[in-house]
Amino acid sequence: MPRFSIIVPCFKVQGFLRECLDSVLEQSYRDIEVIAVDDRSPDGCGAILDEYAARDPRVTALHLPENVGLGRARNAGTPHATGDYLFFLDSDDTLTPGALRALADRLDATGDPDVLVFDYARTYWWGGTRRNALAQVLAERDDPFTAEEFPEILDLLMVVWNKVYRRDFVGKNGFEFPPGYYEDTPWTFPVMLSAERIATLDRICLHYRQRRQGNILSTTSRKHFDVHDQYERVFAFVDSRPALAGWRPYLHRKFGEHCLDILAKPDRLPPADKGEFFRRTAELFRAHRPEGAEVPRELRVLEGGYTAYRVGARARRAARELARQGGRVRTAAGVRARRAATALPARRSPDPRLVLYSAFSHRGVLGDPGAVYHKAREIAPQLRGVWVVRDAETAAALPEGVEHVLLDSPEYRRLAARAGFLVNNVNWPGGLVKRPGSVHVHTHQGTPLKYMAADLLDRPGARFGVDVPQMLRRADRWDYSLVANEHSELVWERAYPCHFTSVRTGSPRNDVLVRPPAGRAEEVRARLGVPEGHIVVLYAPTRREYRRGGHVDRIDLARFAADLGEGHTLVVRLHPSLATGPARGMGLSDLHRRGVLVDATDEPHVEDVMLASDVLVTDYSALMFDYAHLDRPIVVHADDWASYAATRGTYFDITAEPPGHVSRSYRELAWLLASGNWRDEESGRLRAAFRQRFCTFDDGRAAERVVRTLLLGESWPVPDAMVPGPRPSVDGDVLAAT
């Protein structure tokens, strides 16, 4: 008996069907059966199903004699299912890699619940991806529950395909799909209200395709009147089970909201039928209103007539348009006012004791600016350091005692006009005008491997969404550009053809890597929950410009963690630009919650994560240049190097001049880690050559060098080159003790 019976109804989807079936059959988890139902499709769906059934015994192709619609096609496949769980997959959607394994593991962990609800992401025909906006609901409960115990679960999209169902539970209750549009409604509500044990999986297991054309529910038709019959079925189900009577007010509200949403959509109902749809909705809304139930304000329109509804709808549209126009006017006026304020002649010269800091688009006391700030507080307390942060939430998370202002506030504009120094690792906003006498120090964000700024002009794919001319206009404000090695110096002067002076200071944020504080590594490992004595493998992938959104799963993280074996902890840190997108929902958050690995993406200081690790596995992340200061092994996983280099552009071939061993496939990567060759003599030789080239200006005193020479104007020897030797063992360097 297979674990999953995946039922795939097919009708006029020949362009998407192969991708759907491949996403299922190529899963690493293979204990499945696929029941594909040809709903008398007039295109090539039937032939495609027969082809897959002939070559894979897990596939059964059913051909219906007549077209019966999506719901009844699912019903036709259900009696053929023999698996523990039913999975109704629409034939234009796809499973994400590792989805079935994650579902099976979660079912085992929760003791085979009646229903398991998982996450999804919408994938748009133009290439965009957007995660379910209510994904956080899936992370709020660890143990199984009922809808009564956790009603928030019903706030999720009430569709059939974001859940798997225990087959015995479905059979016992006789659940089946009715004909017509919105067939998911009279299935999902009864199922969720009847389930005695519901579990959740905080992982994107399905890509929900948003087609440009062909979506049934976006077809203008009277078939949308079916929604009334579907809710009638839901109310009848609740009436047949007195124990569910308490859900009637909730379902009554959902009915009204759903119907008004359909009515508001411009592409659903024929214009001539909208009045009839409204009147039918209002009639049923009155008929099913529970005794004594209060009607929410937004639904009271259903107590009036269609004319009043139309007048109100026009008024709401006009108000929204007025607000948009007003917003544009206010925005333009605000920009003019800010520019005028900062462009006014200074009554006084800039204050040489006032330093304005920002890092990573105003996200807090981080990176090189953060290291300079802390050193200035230590050795130059006469300097007033103020941080620019993006919002009140970021401000609340700042360390105690850090003076700050909110971006675009009046106080920010006042300080920007008065500051003697402005220190940042990202360009300041365009509205900030450089005042005569002020000094702008740009720290950058590490050593560049991939093309930057002006070098992107012949890479249209890599510069998508990047305004290079504007970037250079903002860089025209720089006075000093900090560099960590000769490579960076040459690249920054080429990529930013502006009037600044390169300063060989080293990278201030790397001081802690060159001279690690005693006990810091152990402290971080304890905070991350790393067992004592474990070898910590840090995996830090970068983004890909050849994929919209930047995220590409290059490694099955669950498999990687398992292959590392006992005595190892896998720590994953995503690129900051991927931290809030779908990437973490593709399994990382779930694996972290289950203790399979550690997700360190939210750790504010990446230097701490590096200190806590024993080996870095990366692809093309600039993190490798920083990590080299630790003189610990680095493995470059370059299975898509040709694609990456061709699309983004790189200043040199990292696979030819690597900081350690290079793997070209997952098999090679796993072998390197399992065999111990990741830290062999050749690894050390490659790392030494890499350090000699890219760690030349870092001596652990970069922050002090910046403060004394640039902020205080003192004399300080600037190195031509400092070739680093082997790093001595330090307290907390676990690798040195192994």
Side-chain angles (χ1 to χ4, degrees):
M1 178 184 297
R3 191 60 162 154
F4 296 107
S5 294
I6 303 175
I7 300 172
V8 186
C10 309
F11 183 75
K12 296 177 70 172
V13 288
Q14 64 178 6
F16 307 108
L17 184 53
R18 292 181 186 277
E19 185 180 358
C20 172
L21 294 174
D22 289 344
S23 77
V24 175
L25 299 174
E26 293 175 3
Q27 293 276 315
S28 60
Y29 188 86
R30 302 185 61 80
D31 188 17
I32 65 171
E33 64 179 3
V34 177
I35 303 164
V37 183
D38 171 18
D39 189 18
R40 196 63 177 176
S41 184
D43 58 7
C45 285
I48 293 172
L49 296 186
D50 288 339
E51 173 192 332
Y52 275 77
R55 72 181 189 216
D56 194 320
R58 296 174 297 167
V59 179
T60 298
L62 301 180
H63 299 276
L64 302 185
E66 60 181 358
N67 176 252
V68 297
L70 181 58
R72 288 184 169 178
R74 290 170 178 157
N75 292 341
T78 301
H80 297 268
T82 63
D84 297 328
Y85 280 84
L86 301 176
F87 189 153
F88 297 101
L89 176 64
D90 286 354
S91 48
D92 55 352
D93 296 336
T94 56
L95 299 186
T96 61
L100 293 180
R101 166 57 65 186
L103 289 168
D105 288 347
R106 184 61 175 154
L107 290 173
D108 291 343
T110 52
D112 282 8
D114 296 329
V115 181
L116 174 62
V117 187
F118 55 82
D119 200 12
Y120 65 92
R122 297 174 188 265
T123 57
Y124 294 87
W125 60 269
W126 42 265
T129 300
R130 181 167 61 87
R131 189 179 185 183
N132 167 27
L134 296 177
Q136 73 277 2
V137 171
L138 298 171
E140 293 179 11
R141 298 292 290 260
D142 194 54
D143 297 325
F145 53 87
T146 64
E148 185 176 4
E149 293 168 338
F150 188 55
E152 290 86 351
I153 194 66
L154 300 181
D155 291 336
L156 297 173
L157 192 62
M158 285 289 101
V159 291
V160 66
W161 43 256
N162 64 349
K163 309 169 184 71
V164 294
Y165 313 87
R166 190 164 54 81
R167 186 167 59 89
D168 291 346
F169 163 71
V170 171
K172 176 183 176 182
N173 287 274
F175 295 127
E176 62 178 19
F177 294 92
Y181 281 15
Y182 305 100
E183 74 291 334
D184 285 7
T185 298
W187 166 281
T188 309
F189 281 119
V191 164
M192 295 297 286
L193 298 181
S194 301
E196 297 179 358
R197 300 179 74 250
I198 301 170
T200 58
L201 173 60
D202 180 20
R203 185 195 193 280
I204 297 173
C205 294
L206 182 141
H207 280 148
Y208 175 33
R209 189 187 301 273
Q210 306 294 287
R211 293 158 64 178
R212 184 170 182 268
Q213 294 180 345
N215 186 311
I216 293 176
L217 293 184
S218 295
T219 303
T220 303
S221 167
R222 280 187 60 86
K223 291 287 289 182
H224 292 283
F225 279 77
D226 289 352
V227 71
H228 300 130
D229 292 337
Q230 307 296 22
Y231 273 96
E232 289 274 46
R233 292 183 172 98
V234 174
F235 290 127
F237 178 84
V238 172
D239 289 343
S240 70
R241 304 199 180 192
L244 300 180
W247 287 102
R248 284 193 64 90
Y250 169 83
L251 294 170
H252 180 252
R253 176 171 60 83
K254 294 296 289 186
F255 167 71
E257 291 173 349
H258 197 168
C259 291
L260 287 178
D261 181 65
I262 294 170
L263 192 61
K265 292 287 196 303
D267 58 350
R268 299 292 172 89
L269 293 161
D273 295 324
K274 289 190 173 184
E276 180 186 351
F277 184 89
F278 177 89
R279 288 186 288 272
R280 177 61 175 158
T281 299
E283 176 186 343
L284 292 176
F285 191 73
R286 290 190 298 270
H288 290 289
R289 179 178 176 180
E291 185 176 352
E294 182 178 352
V295 176
R297 180 179 179 181
E298 64 273 15
L299 298 181
R300 291 175 190 168
V301 65
L302 290 171
E303 296 180 325
Y306 181 57
T307 300
Y309 166 80
R310 292 183 62 189
V311 170
R314 283 197 296 268
R316 287 189 293 273
R317 285 195 298 271
R320 287 194 297 269
E321 180 59 27
L322 187 62
R324 281 195 295 270
Q325 293 178 0
R328 287 194 291 268
V329 170
R330 287 191 297 272
T331 299
V335 169
R336 287 194 297 271
R338 288 193 294 273
R339 288 178 176 172
T342 55
L344 289 174
R347 296 179 181 178
R348 294 176 294 173
S349 60
D351 183 352
R353 293 177 298 175
L354 175 60
V355 186
L356 203 62
Y357 294 94
S358 180
F360 298 108
S361 301
H362 323 297
R363 290 197 291 113
V365 185
L366 303 167
D368 288 315
V372 173
Y373 167 79
H374 287 301
K375 183 58 65 173
R377 292 188 68 175
E378 175 188 335
I379 66 175
Q382 69 272 27
L383 297 178
R384 178 191 175 192
V386 182
W387 280 85
V388 179
V389 293
R390 57 187 177 184
D391 51 37
E393 183 180 356
T394 305
L398 291 174
E400 186 177 354
V402 174
E403 187 178 356
H404 67 275
V405 292
L406 297 183
L407 180 67
D408 282 339
S409 66
E411 183 65 6
Y412 157 75
R413 292 191 289 273
R414 187 183 72 81
L415 291 179
R418 294 288 300 125
F421 298 92
L422 294 95
V423 182
N424 201 346
N425 65 358
V426 177
N427 268 323
W428 292 96
L432 188 150
V433 177
K434 189 176 191 299
R435 303 297 299 275
S438 66
V439 176
H440 284 231
V441 178
H442 193 77
T443 71
H444 301 283
Q445 297 182 43
T447 296
L449 171 63
K450 59 189 178 184
Y451 277 5
M452 306 293 289
D455 289 330
L456 292 174
L457 290 174
D458 66 346
R459 301 276 174 168
R463 74 168 191 268
F464 180 78
V466 177
D467 187 339
V468 174
Q470 181 188 68
M471 181 184 295
L472 298 182
R473 285 193 295 272
R474 294 179 179 184
D476 283 333
R477 297 174 297 196
W478 302 352
D479 292 288
Y480 296 108
S481 165
L482 306 190
V483 296
N485 47 65
E486 291 179 342
H487 165 78
S488 295
E489 188 172 16
L490 295 174
V491 167
W492 297 140
E493 292 183 5
R494 163 181 158 167
Y496 293 95
C498 306
H499 297 289
F500 58 78
T501 299
S502 295
V503 187
R504 296 180 170 185
T505 58
S507 296
R509 72 184 184 284
N510 286 339
D511 288 349
V512 70
L513 302 179
V514 179
R515 300 172 182 265
R520 181 79 162 267
E522 281 84 356
E523 177 187 331
V524 177
R525 289 164 72 96
R527 186 173 73 245
L528 295 177
V530 176
E532 187 174 351
H534 269 215
I535 292 176
V536 175
V537 179
L538 171 59
Y539 175 52
T542 193
R543 63 180 291 117
R544 302 299 200 274
E545 274 68 25
Y546 61 72
R547 177 69 61 85
R548 186 186 293 269
H551 175 67
V552 179
D553 277 319
R554 307 306 310 175
I555 291 177
D556 182 334
L557 294 177
R559 179 182 177 186
F560 190 30
D563 288 346
L564 288 175
E566 293 293 330
H568 294 75
T569 294
L570 177 61
V571 175
V572 179
R573 185 177 179 89
L574 296 179
H575 190 278
S577 67
L578 304 176
T580 58
R584 296 170 82 176
M586 298 292 286
L588 182 56
S589 296
D590 177 58
L591 293 173
H592 174 80
R593 181 184 59 80
R594 290 162 46 200
V596 174
L597 50 73
V598 175
D599 177 10
T601 303
D602 287 337
E603 281 291 315
H605 301 288
V606 68
E607 299 82 16
D608 282 346
V609 181
M610 289 190 279
L611 280 172
S613 67
D614 298 301
V615 54
L616 171 67
V617 177
T618 186
D619 35 39
Y620 324 115
S621 171
L623 206 66
M624 72 177 82
F625 297 97
D626 302 325
Y627 197 85
H629 290 91
L630 290 170
D631 199 16
R632 299 177 190 173
I634 300 172
V635 176
V636 176
H637 185 54
D639 65 333
D640 66 338
W641 170 250
S643 298
Y644 182 85
T647 52
R648 176 67 199 218
T650 59
Y651 292 109
F652 65 96
D653 184 351
I654 191 64
T655 67
E657 305 172 81
H661 287 296
V662 177
S663 58
R664 302 280 186 173
S665 66
Y666 177 75
R667 183 177 180 181
E668 290 183 11
L669 175 63
W671 178 84
L672 276 171
L673 272 296
S675 66
N677 285 358
W678 55 277
R679 52 181 174 181
D680 62 9
E681 184 177 342
E682 175 66 6
S683 169
R685 186 190 68 78
L686 292 168
R687 186 167 67 254
F690 192 82
R691 282 165 48 78
Q692 186 169 9
R693 182 179 179 186
F694 296 109
C695 299
T696 46
F697 300 154
D698 279 294
D699 60 354
R701 303 184 68 182
E704 182 179 1
R705 188 175 289 111
V706 171
V707 173
R708 293 195 182 280
T709 61
L710 301 185
L711 303 188
L712 298 179
E714 298 178 2
S715 176
W716 182 279
V718 177
D720 291 326
M722 295 174 292
V723 179
R727 285 285 317 285
S729 173
V730 296
D731 182 27
D733 188 342
V734 176
L735 181 61
T738 60

PDB file of all heavy atoms in Angstrom, residues 633-650:
ATOM      1  N   PRO A 633      38.778  25.530   6.367  1.00  0.00           N
ATOM      2  CA  PRO A 633      38.476  24.988   5.033  1.00  0.00           C
ATOM      3  C   PRO A 633      37.236  25.597   4.389  1.00  0.00           C
ATOM      4  O   PRO A 633      36.249  25.922   5.061  1.00  0.00           O
ATOM      5  CB  PRO A 633      38.293  23.496   5.301  1.00  0.00           C
ATOM      6  CG  PRO A 633      39.106  23.232   6.532  1.00  0.00           C
ATOM      7  CD  PRO A 633      38.947  24.470   7.379  1.00  0.00           C
ATOM      8  N   ILE A 634      37.304  25.717   3.072  1.00  0.00           N
ATOM      9  CA  ILE A 634      36.205  26.220   2.251  1.00  0.00           C
ATOM     10  C   ILE A 634      36.014  25.249   1.086  1.00  0.00           C
ATOM     11  O   ILE A 634      36.987  24.825   0.464  1.00  0.00           O
ATOM     12  CB  ILE A 634      36.503  27.625   1.700  1.00  0.00           C
ATOM     13  CG1 ILE A 634      36.727  28.620   2.852  1.00  0.00           C
ATOM     14  CG2 ILE A 634      35.376  28.111   0.787  1.00  0.00           C
ATOM     15  CD1 ILE A 634      37.224  29.984   2.393  1.00  0.00           C
ATOM     16  N   VAL A 635      34.757  24.906   0.817  1.00  0.00           N
ATOM     17  CA  VAL A 635      34.419  24.080  -0.339  1.00  0.00           C
ATOM     18  C   VAL A 635      33.506  24.904  -1.248  1.00  0.00           C
ATOM     19  O   VAL A 635      32.503  25.455  -0.784  1.00  0.00           O
ATOM     20  CB  VAL A 635      33.713  22.770   0.064  1.00  0.00           C
ATOM     21  CG1 VAL A 635      33.288  21.990  -1.174  1.00  0.00           C
ATOM     22  CG2 VAL A 635      34.622  21.920   0.948  1.00  0.00           C
ATOM     23  N   VAL A 636      33.864  24.999  -2.519  1.00  0.00           N
ATOM     24  CA  VAL A 636      33.058  25.736  -3.493  1.00  0.00           C
ATOM     25  C   VAL A 636      32.219  24.732  -4.279  1.00  0.00           C
ATOM     26  O   VAL A 636      32.760  23.880  -4.984  1.00  0.00           O
ATOM     27  CB  VAL A 636      33.950  26.545  -4.450  1.00  0.00           C
ATOM     28  CG1 VAL A 636      33.094  27.232  -5.514  1.00  0.00           C
ATOM     29  CG2 VAL A 636      34.759  27.581  -3.675  1.00  0.00           C
ATOM     30  N   HIS A 637      30.883  24.836  -4.120  1.00  0.00           N
ATOM     31  CA  HIS A 637      29.975  23.951  -4.855  1.00  0.00           C
ATOM     32  C   HIS A 637      29.538  24.679  -6.118  1.00  0.00           C
ATOM     33  O   HIS A 637      28.721  25.592  -6.081  1.00  0.00           O
ATOM     34  CB  HIS A 637      28.770  23.593  -3.986  1.00  0.00           C
ATOM     35  CG  HIS A 637      27.846  22.600  -4.624  1.00  0.00           C
ATOM     36  ND1 HIS A 637      28.279  21.389  -5.089  1.00  0.00           N
ATOM     37  CD2 HIS A 637      26.512  22.647  -4.876  1.00  0.00           C
ATOM     38  CE1 HIS A 637      27.260  20.717  -5.594  1.00  0.00           C
ATOM     39  NE2 HIS A 637      26.184  21.461  -5.484  1.00  0.00           N
ATOM     40  N   ALA A 638      30.098  24.275  -7.248  1.00  0.00           N
ATOM     41  CA  ALA A 638      29.955  25.031  -8.500  1.00  0.00           C
ATOM     42  C   ALA A 638      29.256  24.211  -9.568  1.00  0.00           C
ATOM     43  O   ALA A 638      29.721  24.128 -10.703  1.00  0.00           O
ATOM     44  CB  ALA A 638      31.327  25.481  -8.980  1.00  0.00           C
ATOM     45  N   ASP A 639      28.110  23.622  -9.234  1.00  0.00           N
ATOM     46  CA  ASP A 639      27.434  22.762 -10.209  1.00  0.00           C
ATOM     47  C   ASP A 639      26.776  23.545 -11.333  1.00  0.00           C
ATOM     48  O   ASP A 639      26.425  22.979 -12.361  1.00  0.00           O
ATOM     49  CB  ASP A 639      26.410  21.864  -9.511  1.00  0.00           C
ATOM     50  CG  ASP A 639      25.259  22.640  -8.896  1.00  0.00           C
ATOM     51  OD1 ASP A 639      25.464  23.819  -8.539  1.00  0.00           O
ATOM     52  OD2 ASP A 639      24.165  22.075  -8.763  1.00  0.00           O
ATOM     53  N   ASP A 640      26.601  24.872 -11.170  1.00  0.00           N
ATOM     54  CA  ASP A 640      26.004  25.680 -12.243  1.00  0.00           C
ATOM     55  C   ASP A 640      26.891  26.875 -12.584  1.00  0.00           C
ATOM     56  O   ASP A 640      26.396  27.937 -12.960  1.00  0.00           O
ATOM     57  CB  ASP A 640      24.596  26.133 -11.865  1.00  0.00           C
ATOM     58  CG  ASP A 640      24.584  27.104 -10.682  1.00  0.00           C
ATOM     59  OD1 ASP A 640      25.572  27.110  -9.909  1.00  0.00           O
ATOM     60  OD2 ASP A 640      23.597  27.840 -10.520  1.00  0.00           O
ATOM     61  N   TRP A 641      28.192  26.690 -12.461  1.00  0.00           N
ATOM     62  CA  TRP A 641      29.113  27.805 -12.668  1.00  0.00           C
ATOM     63  C   TRP A 641      28.953  28.438 -14.047  1.00  0.00           C
ATOM     64  O   TRP A 641      28.942  29.669 -14.184  1.00  0.00           O
ATOM     65  CB  TRP A 641      30.553  27.351 -12.466  1.00  0.00           C
ATOM     66  CG  TRP A 641      31.563  28.378 -12.895  1.00  0.00           C
ATOM     67  CD1 TRP A 641      32.397  28.324 -13.962  1.00  0.00           C
ATOM     68  CD2 TRP A 641      31.810  29.637 -12.260  1.00  0.00           C
ATOM     69  NE1 TRP A 641      33.166  29.460 -14.041  1.00  0.00           N
ATOM     70  CE2 TRP A 641      32.821  30.292 -13.011  1.00  0.00           C
ATOM     71  CE3 TRP A 641      31.281  30.290 -11.152  1.00  0.00           C
ATOM     72  CZ2 TRP A 641      33.306  31.549 -12.670  1.00  0.00           C
ATOM     73  CZ3 TRP A 641      31.770  31.548 -10.815  1.00  0.00           C
ATOM     74  CH2 TRP A 641      32.764  32.161 -11.561  1.00  0.00           C
ATOM     75  N   ALA A 642      28.833  27.645 -15.088  1.00  0.00           N
ATOM     76  CA  ALA A 642      28.740  28.194 -16.438  1.00  0.00           C
ATOM     77  C   ALA A 642      27.522  29.099 -16.577  1.00  0.00           C
ATOM     78  O   ALA A 642      27.606  30.196 -17.153  1.00  0.00           O
ATOM     79  CB  ALA A 642      28.687  27.062 -17.465  1.00  0.00           C
ATOM     80  N   SER A 643      26.393  28.673 -16.040  1.00  0.00           N
ATOM     81  CA  SER A 643      25.170  29.484 -16.122  1.00  0.00           C
ATOM     82  C   SER A 643      25.317  30.764 -15.306  1.00  0.00           C
ATOM     83  O   SER A 643      24.927  31.852 -15.746  1.00  0.00           O
ATOM     84  CB  SER A 643      23.972  28.672 -15.618  1.00  0.00           C
ATOM     85  OG  SER A 643      23.762  27.531 -16.411  1.00  0.00           O
ATOM     86  N   TYR A 644      25.859  30.635 -14.112  1.00  0.00           N
ATOM     87  CA  TYR A 644      26.013  31.803 -13.249  1.00  0.00           C
ATOM     88  C   TYR A 644      26.945  32.831 -13.876  1.00  0.00           C
ATOM     89  O   TYR A 644      26.622  34.025 -13.939  1.00  0.00           O
ATOM     90  CB  TYR A 644      26.553  31.364 -11.886  1.00  0.00           C
ATOM     91  CG  TYR A 644      26.688  32.500 -10.908  1.00  0.00           C
ATOM     92  CD1 TYR A 644      25.605  32.920 -10.140  1.00  0.00           C
ATOM     93  CD2 TYR A 644      27.897  33.179 -10.760  1.00  0.00           C
ATOM     94  CE1 TYR A 644      25.727  33.975  -9.246  1.00  0.00           C
ATOM     95  CE2 TYR A 644      28.028  34.238  -9.877  1.00  0.00           C
ATOM     96  CZ  TYR A 644      26.935  34.629  -9.122  1.00  0.00           C
ATOM     97  OH  TYR A 644      27.059  35.681  -8.242  1.00  0.00           O
ATOM     98  N   ALA A 645      28.104  32.377 -14.352  1.00  0.00           N
ATOM     99  CA  ALA A 645      29.082  33.298 -14.923  1.00  0.00           C
ATOM    100  C   ALA A 645      28.553  33.960 -16.187  1.00  0.00           C
ATOM    101  O   ALA A 645      28.818  35.144 -16.442  1.00  0.00           O
ATOM    102  CB  ALA A 645      30.385  32.559 -15.218  1.00  0.00           C
ATOM    103  N   ALA A 646      27.797  33.211 -16.982  1.00  0.00           N
ATOM    104  CA  ALA A 646      27.279  33.761 -18.237  1.00  0.00           C
ATOM    105  C   ALA A 646      26.218  34.818 -17.998  1.00  0.00           C
ATOM    106  O   ALA A 646      26.125  35.798 -18.747  1.00  0.00           O
ATOM    107  CB  ALA A 646      26.719  32.641 -19.109  1.00  0.00           C
ATOM    108  N   THR A 647      25.416  34.652 -16.963  1.00  0.00           N
ATOM    109  CA  THR A 647      24.318  35.594 -16.726  1.00  0.00           C
ATOM    110  C   THR A 647      24.748  36.775 -15.870  1.00  0.00           C
ATOM    111  O   THR A 647      24.455  37.923 -16.196  1.00  0.00           O
ATOM    112  CB  THR A 647      23.135  34.886 -16.059  1.00  0.00           C
ATOM    113  OG1 THR A 647      23.590  34.176 -14.902  1.00  0.00           O
ATOM    114  CG2 THR A 647      22.483  33.910 -17.015  1.00  0.00           C
ATOM    115  N   ARG A 648      25.442  36.516 -14.752  1.00  0.00           N
ATOM    116  CA  ARG A 648      25.806  37.609 -13.860  1.00  0.00           C
ATOM    117  C   ARG A 648      27.104  38.296 -14.292  1.00  0.00           C
ATOM    118  O   ARG A 648      27.249  39.506 -14.177  1.00  0.00           O
ATOM    119  CB  ARG A 648      25.968  37.083 -12.427  1.00  0.00           C
ATOM    120  CG  ARG A 648      26.456  38.139 -11.430  1.00  0.00           C
ATOM    121  CD  ARG A 648      25.429  39.222 -11.212  1.00  0.00           C
ATOM    122  NE  ARG A 648      26.013  40.425 -10.644  1.00  0.00           N
ATOM    123  CZ  ARG A 648      25.410  41.184  -9.735  1.00  0.00           C
ATOM    124  NH1 ARG A 648      24.221  40.844  -9.273  1.00  0.00           N
ATOM    125  NH2 ARG A 648      25.980  42.272  -9.287  1.00  0.00           N
ATOM    126  N   GLY A 649      28.052  37.517 -14.815  1.00  0.00           N
ATOM    127  CA  GLY A 649      29.365  38.060 -15.119  1.00  0.00           C
ATOM    128  C   GLY A 649      30.239  38.029 -13.879  1.00  0.00           C
ATOM    129  O   GLY A 649      29.796  38.412 -12.789  1.00  0.00           O
ATOM    130  N   THR A 650      31.479  37.564 -13.997  1.00  0.00           N
ATOM    131  CA  THR A 650      32.379  37.473 -12.850  1.00  0.00           C
ATOM    132  C   THR A 650      33.752  38.010 -13.223  1.00  0.00           C
ATOM    133  O   THR A 650      34.151  37.966 -14.386  1.00  0.00           O
ATOM    134  CB  THR A 650      32.523  36.012 -12.365  1.00  0.00           C
ATOM    135  OG1 THR A 650      33.039  35.214 -13.435  1.00  0.00           O
ATOM    136  CG2 THR A 650      31.181  35.457 -11.919  1.00  0.00           C
TER     137      THR A 650
END
